[in-house]
């Protein structure tokens, strides 16, 4: 059908000196949803200024003046992108081979079944759509590679991340507790380190404790320390992480795992700096800045009685919400470029090339494991690359892409998730720019034409976003 992607209507040019043949092909394509332009000569088509922007060209070989083979040669000489399908009622095997070697997308002999031509046109339009999309992505990758879009060791250029960077600069000036909320793999620890490194405590220690990885009794010992003989197996005294972090920052990961008893003791530390090690009566004085992370809504824990209300309010003085990667897809080209170069440097190999289909799939995939999943996937792709090419897979074969991600292949899942993400970011950017197409295209780093194509695809109208 004439939709390379949902509501986008592919544009096809038909060139044939036989009016009946030309009209027949146009009628067939229009019935399938294609937008068509027709010309009676190759010269007229070449003179049409919009020819480089169409999605497919169908040209008869035997025509007066410039024939189909000469037309193909001119298209290639001009470096036009649209695939060319040649058709003829007088063809032979040698002509077909010659045309395909010269750069024709396909060669079809008249008379042909409608389904044969339709299938060829559909594949050609999908190919050019993907080619244009990935050309834009590569331009962005090249631009990002030298743009230095990195702050505090964190990569990101979208508005959300820029706002977070500004938050970090403000928060770093204080010693008050910070709560960082975000899904697993979004980079919460990186932000915690950024706060520490930007603060007056940068010369002090940065100590991280994962509360979710320790049993309740072990967590208290890990945080507060213990005296010799405080419990079975405590054969010597041990300082806790709170004392170790004194003068610096303590990162408490998975705050939702802190038991109620430990919450009471931590509240005491936050209020007056006193730590009571297990088995000791005398407190120790510490000076820490607490940064905590969580992936859930802590208010639910308060309502359920699993988190003290006073502890909750003491922790949430400053809050940073870290978006999942699916909500910042405009950062994906930058992150792909960054992680590919890092992985190549780490493994002492040349930076490999990412094929077009793989690049497009990576940029449009939802990445449920967020930045961590993206980084690990790219590392694996770089290490297993052959001939300096990584992650190539066959057309429409989502199982190969799922294998790269170490995920089970689910038919239709990839396409649905890609389109959901793309529509979401376009809607958000249109809303931020009050429906102004120029500003929206610039913010998305794509051409106005590409933006209009995507707006048609998702039935988005600029008027609906005007404020």
């Amino acid at each position: 059908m004439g939709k390379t992607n949902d509501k986008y209507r592919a544009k096809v040019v038909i060139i044939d000196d036989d009016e009946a043949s030309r009209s027949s092909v146009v009628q067939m394509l229009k019935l399938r949803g294609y937008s068509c332009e027709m010309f009676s000569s190759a010269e007229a088509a070449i003179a049409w200024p919009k020819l480089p922007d169409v999605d497919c060209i169908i040209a008869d070989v035997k025509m007066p003046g410039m024939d189909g083979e000469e037309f193909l040669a001119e298209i290639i000489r001009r470096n036009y992108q649209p695939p060319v399908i040649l058709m003829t009622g007088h063809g032979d095997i040698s002509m077909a081979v010659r045309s395909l070697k010269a750069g024709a997308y396909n060669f079809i002999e008249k008379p042909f079944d409608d389904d044969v031509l339709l299938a060829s046109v559909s594949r050609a339009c999908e190919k050019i759509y993907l080619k244009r999309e990935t050309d834009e992505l590569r331009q962005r990758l090249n631009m990002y590679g030298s743009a230095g879009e990195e702050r505090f060791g964190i990569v990101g250029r979208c508005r959300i991340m820029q706002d977070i960077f500004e938050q970090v600069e403000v928060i770093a000036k204080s010693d008050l507790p910070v709560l960082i909320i975000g899904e697993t793999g979004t980079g919460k620890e990186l932000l915690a380190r950024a706060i520490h490194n930007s603060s007056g405590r940068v010369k002090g220690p940065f100590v991280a404790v994962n509360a979710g990885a320790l049993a309740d009794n072990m967590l208290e010992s890990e945080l507060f320390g213990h005296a010799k003989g405080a419990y079975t197996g405590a054969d010597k005294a041990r300082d806790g992480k709170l004392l170790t972090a004194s003068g610096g920052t303590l990162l408490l990961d998975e705050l939702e795992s802190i038991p109620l008893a430990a919450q009471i003791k931590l509240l005491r530390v936050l209020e007056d700096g006193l730590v009571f090690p297990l088995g000791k009566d005398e407190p120790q004085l510490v000076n820490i800045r607490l940064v905590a992370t969580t992936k859930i809504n802590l208010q639910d824990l308060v309502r359920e009685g699993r988190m003290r209300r006073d502890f909750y309010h003491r922790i949430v003085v400053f809050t940073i919400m870290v978006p999942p990667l699916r909500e910042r897809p405009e950062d994906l080209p930058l992150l792909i470029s960054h992680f590919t170069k890092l992985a190549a440097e780490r493994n002492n190999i040349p930076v490999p090339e990412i094929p077009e289909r793989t690049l497009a799939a990576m940029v449009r995939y939802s990445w449920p494991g967020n930045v961590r999943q993206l980084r690990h996937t790219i590392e694996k792709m770089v290490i297993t690359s052959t001939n300096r090419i990584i992650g190539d897979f066959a057309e429409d074969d989502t199982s190969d892409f799922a294998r790269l991600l170490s995920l089970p292949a689910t038919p239709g899942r990839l396409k649905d998730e890609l389109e959901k993400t793309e529509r979401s970011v376009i809607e958000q950017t249109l809303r931020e720019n009050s429906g102004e197409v120029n500003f929206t295209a610039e913010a998305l780093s794509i051409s106005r034409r590409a933006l209009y194509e995507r707006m048609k695809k998702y039935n988005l109208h600029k008027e609906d976003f005007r404020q």
Side-chain angles (χ1 to χ4, degrees):
M1 295 86 163
K3 303 172 185 178
T4 60
N5 266 310
D6 285 353
K7 293 184 174 59
Y8 169 64
R9 295 186 68 201
K11 194 171 192 66
V12 182
V13 164
I14 300 91
I15 309 169
D16 195 334
D17 63 312
D18 184 327
E19 183 178 357
S21 174
R22 184 173 70 238
S23 298
S24 174
V25 172
V26 168
Q27 182 179 15
M28 176 184 65
L29 291 173
K30 284 187 173 181
L31 285 173
R32 267 67 174 193
Y34 289 94
S35 171
C36 299
E37 290 286 337
M38 54 183 176
F39 298 91
S40 59
S41 69
E43 290 88 348
I46 286 287
W48 188 47
K50 296 182 180 179
L51 187 64
D53 298 323
V54 303
D55 300 291
C56 178
I57 302 171
I58 303 171
D60 192 30
V61 172
K62 297 295 183 180
M63 293 185 291
M66 179 184 289
D67 65 23
E69 289 187 272
E70 294 171 333
F71 171 78
L72 173 64
E74 182 63 16
I75 289 292
I76 292 171
R77 186 189 71 79
R78 296 187 180 206
N79 200 29
Y80 287 177
Q81 291 189 354
V84 177
I85 299 172
L86 293 178
M87 58 182 185
T88 182
H90 312 281
D92 55 31
I93 293 177
S94 62
M95 178 187 289
V97 171
R98 188 168 64 247
S99 299
L100 293 172
K101 283 186 175 180
Y105 179 75
N106 203 356
F107 185 93
I108 296 177
E109 188 172 2
K110 298 178 181 179
F112 48 78
D113 290 335
D114 288 357
D115 289 344
V116 172
L117 180 60
L118 285 169
S120 184
V121 171
S122 177
R123 289 194 302 271
C125 290
E126 287 286 354
K127 177 182 178 181
I128 191 62
Y129 184 89
L130 178 64
K131 175 81 166 57
R132 286 169 177 158
E133 188 173 54
T134 51
D135 281 349
E136 290 176 2
L137 294 177
R138 290 193 183 283
Q139 289 176 3
R140 291 162 69 186
L141 283 172
N142 292 335
M143 177 181 70
Y144 294 152
S146 59
E149 301 282 354
E150 181 178 338
R151 293 175 67 184
F152 313 114
I154 303 169
V155 174
R157 72 183 297 270
C158 69
R159 183 66 260 170
I160 299 174
M161 292 307 296
Q162 294 301 313
D163 289 344
I164 288 175
F165 293 154
E166 291 176 7
Q167 279 185 276
V168 167
E169 289 182 344
V170 172
I171 289 171
K173 299 173 183 177
S174 164
D175 273 344
L176 294 172
V178 183
L179 179 65
I180 304 175
I181 305 171
E183 294 178 8
T184 298
T186 50
K188 298 188 291 294
E189 182 171 342
L190 282 176
L191 282 171
R193 288 185 179 275
I195 292 169
H196 172 75
N197 292 334
S198 303
S199 72
R201 295 176 173 266
V202 64
K203 294 183 180 179
F206 178 88
V207 178
V209 177
N210 187 338
L214 297 168
D216 290 359
N217 60 330
M218 294 302 298
L219 176 62
E220 286 200 43
S221 175
E222 186 76 7
L223 285 174
F224 303 99
H226 60 258
K228 181 178 179 180
Y231 56 87
T232 303
D235 52 358
K236 60 180 180 180
R238 180 185 177 188
D239 290 337
K241 297 296 187 185
L242 286 162
L243 186 61
T244 304
S246 189
T249 302
L250 177 75
L251 168 62
L252 196 52
D253 196 16
E254 297 191 40
L255 183 69
E256 66 273 15
S257 301
I258 300 289
L260 289 170
Q263 291 176 29
I264 296 172
K265 292 184 177 182
L266 272 172
L267 190 58
R268 184 72 176 272
V269 175
L270 295 175
E271 293 290 348
D272 54 28
L274 295 179
V275 172
F276 286 84
L278 299 178
K280 284 187 179 181
D281 296 327
E282 292 298 320
Q284 294 173 303
L285 187 63
V286 297
N287 174 19
I288 66 158
R289 201 248 178 99
L290 179 66
V291 178
T293 69
T294 184
K295 57 181 178 289
I296 68 172
N297 184 349
L298 296 182
Q299 290 181 331
D300 292 339
L301 298 187
V302 175
R303 284 191 289 268
E304 295 165 8
R306 292 191 291 143
M307 178 169 284
R308 293 174 58 92
R309 190 173 298 275
D310 52 359
F311 179 71
Y312 169 78
H313 287 296
R314 192 67 179 83
I315 290 293
V316 295
V317 180
F318 286 121
T319 303
I320 298 177
M321 303 290 295
V322 189
L325 192 52
R326 63 183 173 273
E327 292 181 8
R328 43 182 291 222
E330 58 268 50
D331 280 346
L332 268 165
L334 172 61
L335 288 163
I336 291 170
S337 175
H338 177 73
F339 289 141
T340 301
K341 290 174 182 176
L342 282 184
E345 290 173 5
R346 213 166 20 241
N347 294 281
N348 196 29
I349 59 177
V351 178
E353 176 188 353
I354 304 177
E356 291 180 358
R357 189 167 299 279
T358 304
L359 179 59
M362 290 176 72
V363 168
R364 301 174 67 183
Y365 180 61
S366 62
W367 298 104
N370 295 297
V371 178
R372 182 182 298 157
Q373 182 192 16
L374 175 65
R375 184 179 73 246
H376 290 166
T377 299
I378 291 175
E379 182 89 26
K380 179 171 65 174
M381 292 165 69
V382 169
I383 292 173
T384 59
S385 63
T386 55
N387 300 320
R388 296 183 64 179
I389 297 177
I390 65 176
D392 202 6
F393 59 94
E395 184 172 355
D396 299 326
D397 188 353
T398 60
S399 63
D400 273 358
F401 185 62
R403 175 178 52 78
L404 289 170
L405 301 170
S406 299
L407 294 172
T410 305
R413 168 181 157 195
L414 179 60
K415 182 175 183 293
D416 292 342
E417 288 296 327
L418 301 182
E419 293 177 350
K420 188 188 302 181
T421 299
E422 185 175 58
R423 181 190 176 108
S424 174
V425 71
I426 292 174
E427 283 183 319
Q428 179 184 340
T429 312
L430 280 166
R431 195 172 294 112
E432 291 172 352
N433 290 280
S434 301
E436 290 293 335
V437 172
N438 286 339
F439 294 149
T440 302
E442 183 179 353
L444 293 171
S445 298
I446 61 175
S447 65
R448 292 176 72 255
R449 181 178 181 275
L451 176 58
Y452 273 122
E453 288 175 354
R454 287 161 173 78
M455 290 171 66
K456 287 181 182 177
K457 170 182 171 180
Y458 297 118
N459 196 27
L460 301 174
H461 305 284
K462 60 184 180 182
E463 294 79 11
D464 296 338
F465 298 89
R466 287 177 178 163
Q467 299 177 356

